[in-house]
Amino acid sequence: MTGLTAAVATLGITAGLAGCGAESGSDTVTLKMVAADYGDSPANSTQKYWDKVSADFESKNPGIRVDVDVRSWSEVDAHVAALVKKGEAPDIAQIGAYADYAAQGKLYSADDLLSIPVQADFLPALSEAGELRRVQYGMPFASSTRLLFYNKDLFAKAGVTGTPQSWTELAADARKLKAAGVKYPFALPLGREEAPAETLMWLLSGGDGYTDNVGTYTLDSDQNIKTFKWLRDDLVGKGLTGPTAPGELDRQDAFDAFSRGEVGMLNGHPTLMKQAEKQGVEYGMVPLPGVNGKAKATLGVADWMMGFKENGHKEEIGKFLDFVYDDENVLDFSERYDILPVTSSASDAMADEPEYKHLREFLEELPDSELYPVGKTSWAQVSASIKKEIGKAVRPGGDPAEILQELQNEAVAAESAE
């Protein structure tokens, strides 16, 4: 997703968002919050979730009001950046990245805001990913992992038995699907929408990733180059990725094609389950195979909550966020949007409840998943470059070594500028 792993609905900005937090009464503090929308239509917009949470919180905390402005993922990060630039930061933002704001000294730390039990309840890997220079500023809000989805009916039609356990088997299954007339034997969305996620999944599958064990960028490692040469030659070059060039295929377009029964295999996150089920697609899910067996890890994606210092509402922000991370609210959000919880207590509750059975495979992958290097302020720039360039590495005549070396050089330059 990445991360993590999100959809759209755009609502108008709440009046009075600008400034230092409107007062609705002499003893009342109004918190302004901007949040991302996880719904796929106005009917299930995340605005409804936040309206309920805010109302419940306000009933227990009469001196605090919370106004939440929900924005689509296509605009929410840029919207918050514009507010911050104008000196009109919200009190709280729930968006895709926190590191730039933390590096500029604009955020409260998690220690400043959260009670000890709430902060200690975050899954350790997610807490660590929320750190800049060993201080946690990003509080994970939603998470997801990725699995390989496959269409059971298309597999049966093509005579594919079992599921792929290695790259060789995956390519062989894709060839059978192509021979059976499947439009997208393996959908490879390297378009701008989620290219960093698809890329990292394959790099992990190939045995490496974006960074090494000490956090140094390794985009142009020998193993990463081999991975993209295999994708270019053995999948794209053999016509196994469908009629749309991977660099022009966005994730949602690939998901839509899967839900129409046009895709044999693709990497997906939990929200694809509901979309496919609505269209009557019988699917299965397995971990993405590695070169010769199980992949090094799967991709983990987290979205982030943060509190801005600008309006000085530390105590009120902390009270609200403690309430937001109550198990009941965390599980309600997970159930509405098929998103994995970010706390240990909610994860344990989910694992024990039959109604969350469909998410268990994703949940089991989360503790050992690898996230984007979101603690680097350079990551936003590197991610943008990957979205723009990585599709070129697998097109006919593309040079994975050249593209990955260019990305590595940009990453190193961005890192040195931090």
Side-chain angles (χ1 to χ4, degrees):
M1 207 168 224
T2 221
L4 359 304
T5 269
V8 298
T10 303
L11 302 178
I13 187 169
T14 302
L17 183 61
C20 58
E23 302 290 334
S24 61
S26 59
D27 298 321
T28 299
V29 170
T30 297
L31 298 177
K32 300 297 184 179
M33 177 177 174
V34 178
D37 197 347
Y38 292 77
D40 58 10
S41 70
N44 71 342
S45 168
T46 310
Q47 187 73 53
K48 296 182 178 181
Y49 170 80
W50 285 117
D51 287 348
K52 178 181 182 299
V53 170
S54 298
D56 290 347
F57 173 78
E58 289 169 3
S59 70
K60 298 175 182 178
N61 297 271
I64 307 172
R65 291 189 62 249
V66 185
D67 289 343
V68 185
D69 174 26
V70 172
R71 298 255 166 171
S72 74
W73 272 108
S74 64
E75 68 167 314
V76 67
D77 289 278
H79 178 62
V80 171
L83 291 174
V84 172
K85 186 176 181 179
K86 290 190 295 183
E88 300 173 358
D91 296 285
I92 304 167
Q94 187 274 298
I95 51 177
Y98 67 87
D100 280 351
Y101 303 123
Q104 295 167 33
K106 294 184 180 296
L107 301 182
Y108 291 114
S109 71
D111 286 339
D112 290 331
L113 299 174
L114 300 177
S115 64
I116 291 174
V118 171
Q119 189 176 359
D121 198 26
F122 290 132
L123 293 170
L126 299 180
S127 287
E128 184 177 343
E131 295 178 357
L132 179 70
R133 304 183 186 99
R134 301 189 178 182
V135 176
Q136 185 180 0
Y137 296 96
M139 292 159 279
F141 175 70
S143 65
S144 69
T145 54
R146 302 293 194 267
L147 291 171
L148 177 67
F149 283 68
Y150 63 94
N151 184 310
K152 290 183 176 181
D153 291 338
L154 296 182
F155 264 42
K157 177 183 175 182
V160 178
T161 58
T163 55
Q165 305 298 309
S166 68
W167 285 3
T168 300
E169 292 180 10
L170 187 148
D173 291 346
R175 288 194 295 271
K176 291 179 182 178
L177 290 163
K178 181 183 180 183
V182 175
K183 187 174 182 179
Y184 293 90
F186 190 102
L188 184 67
L190 292 175
R192 293 194 177 206
E193 182 181 358
E194 209 186 30
E198 189 73 18
T199 298
L200 182 52
M201 280 184 275
W202 281 102
L203 298 186
L204 293 170
S205 175
D208 206 339
Y210 285 139
T211 60
D212 61 18
N213 292 333
V214 295
T216 302
Y217 283 114
T218 57
L219 286 129
D220 64 344
S221 70
D222 290 344
Q223 191 57 58
N224 287 345
I225 291 170
K226 288 178 182 177
T227 294
F228 266 80
K229 284 183 175 178
W230 185 84
L231 288 172
R232 179 195 64 187
D233 298 338
D234 290 68
L235 285 187
V236 181
K238 299 290 176 58
L240 302 179
T241 54
T244 304
E248 298 173 6
L249 182 63
D250 283 339
R251 179 207 60 203
Q252 191 58 54
D253 292 335
F255 280 14
D256 292 345
F258 186 84
S259 300
R260 293 193 299 268
E262 298 173 353
V263 176
M265 296 177 280
L266 85 170
N267 293 315
H269 55 62
T271 58
L272 179 56
M273 294 187 294
K274 188 173 293 184
Q275 183 176 342
E277 287 164 3
K278 284 182 179 178
Q279 300 299 320
V281 173
E282 292 288 331
Y283 63 87
M285 302 178 298
V286 295
L288 178 66
V291 181
N292 297 308
K294 185 174 175 59
K296 169 186 173 182
T298 190
L299 166 70
V301 175
D303 302 322
W304 302 97
M305 187 79 74
M306 62 210 72
F308 284 87
K309 293 179 178 179
E310 188 166 308
N311 303 324
H313 294 148
K314 179 173 70 172
E315 181 180 352
E316 292 83 2
I317 294 170
K319 283 184 178 181
F320 181 62
L321 292 182
D322 272 358
F323 183 78
V324 165
Y325 286 109
D326 179 81
D327 278 356
E328 182 178 349
N329 291 324
V330 172
L331 289 170
D332 181 18
F333 186 85
S334 297
E335 184 176 8
R336 287 181 189 229
Y337 300 108
D338 284 333
I339 293 292
L340 302 182
V342 296
T343 63
S344 296
S345 56
S347 295
D348 291 343
M350 178 177 282
D352 292 336
E353 295 295 332
E355 64 259 40
Y356 299 115
K357 182 179 179 180
H358 62 297
L359 290 173
R360 285 179 187 165
E361 291 180 72
F362 292 95
L363 197 62
E364 290 168 0
E365 294 289 324
L366 186 59
D368 297 321
S369 64
E370 184 164 324
L371 282 73
Y372 301 133
V374 290
K376 292 176 174 289
T377 58
S378 57
W379 170 242
Q381 181 178 337
V382 174
S383 176
S385 296
I386 291 169
K387 290 180 180 182
K388 182 179 177 182
E389 300 294 334
I390 198 64
K392 299 175 183 176
V394 298
R395 67 188 183 186
D399 187 341
E402 179 182 345
I403 296 298
L404 290 171
Q405 285 165 4
E406 289 176 358
L407 290 170
Q408 175 70 13
N409 291 340
E410 290 186 27
V412 170
E415 183 94 337
S416 63
E418 289 186 7

